[in-house]
Amino acid sequence: MKAQMQKGFTLIELMIVVAIIGILAAIALPAYQDYTVRAKVSEVLLSMSQCRTSVTEVFQSGMALPEKDHAAWGCTTGTNAATQYVGSLSVDATGIITATTAAATTKALPSEASGKTVSMTPYSTTDATTVAVAGDNIAHWKCAPGAATPLPEKYLPASCR
């Protein structure tokens, strides 16, 4: 008698494949969720880039630095120009740019990333040791979580950690 060839998979083989897929999904899902939040936070950094240009111009012109959120900075938004991910954008009297992520009510960001701050500080040296003052050339910007309600570092893009 001829033995019949087995066709298809056994139940045990299918269960092993399902278990492997389940384990991979359990590992990948949290990492993917952090990645999507990081992508949304990158819009916050992008909104700060317009301020970097304005602040650099004010510093290099040698004029006295304006007050916090003064119109002379040319880029502050307060809450007027808030977007889906950016709650507000401000510049203090020393040129430090601070962006606040959108509030949790928008459901765009998870609660641990909502209403948090990210700051960019201008430095006159490339090694980020000397904070720039009026009349300095800005050689480097340092991005970091804000002082008041800092954004968790795991949500900051790689260029800002």
Side-chain angles (χ1 to χ4, degrees):
M1 283 182 85
K2 276 186 164 180
Q4 275 191 323
M5 296 284 292
Q6 178 183 0
K7 294 181 182 177
F9 298 104
T10 65
L11 182 59
I12 243 0
E13 290 171 331
L14 291 174
M15 288 174 63
I16 290 170
V17 169
V18 169
I20 290 171
I21 291 172
I23 291 168
L24 291 175
I27 293 170
L29 216 55
Y32 179 72
Q33 289 170 337
D34 286 353
Y35 173 76
T36 57
V37 173
R38 214 174 294 127
K40 293 173 183 179
V41 169
S42 67
E43 181 186 311
V44 175
L45 296 181
L46 186 61
S47 72
M48 295 171 81
S49 67
Q50 67 176 347
C51 269
R52 282 193 332 197
T53 304
S54 297
V55 170
T56 301
E57 187 175 316
V58 169
F59 269 83
Q60 291 177 341
S61 68
M63 59 189 258
L65 300 180
E67 297 174 17
K68 177 180 173 28
D69 292 338
H70 191 274
W73 287 115
C75 63
T76 57
T77 63
T79 56
N80 298 334
T83 67
Q84 185 177 6
Y85 306 120
V86 181
S88 65
L89 189 61
S90 64
V91 180
D92 74 6
T94 61
I96 297 173
I97 305 164
T98 304
T100 305
T101 59
T105 56
T106 63
K107 305 263 191 254
L109 293 168
S111 60
E112 62 267 11
S114 299
K116 306 296 186 200
T117 57
V118 179
S119 66
M120 294 186 97
T121 306
Y123 289 90
S124 60
T125 56
T126 55
D127 59 357
T129 56
T130 308
V131 177
V133 294
D136 282 352
N137 286 328
I138 296 177
H140 180 73
W141 284 90
K142 184 176 180 186
C143 178
T149 53
L151 182 71
E153 284 201 27
K154 71 177 186 176
Y155 294 132
L156 290 174
S159 62
C160 195
R161 286 190 224 162

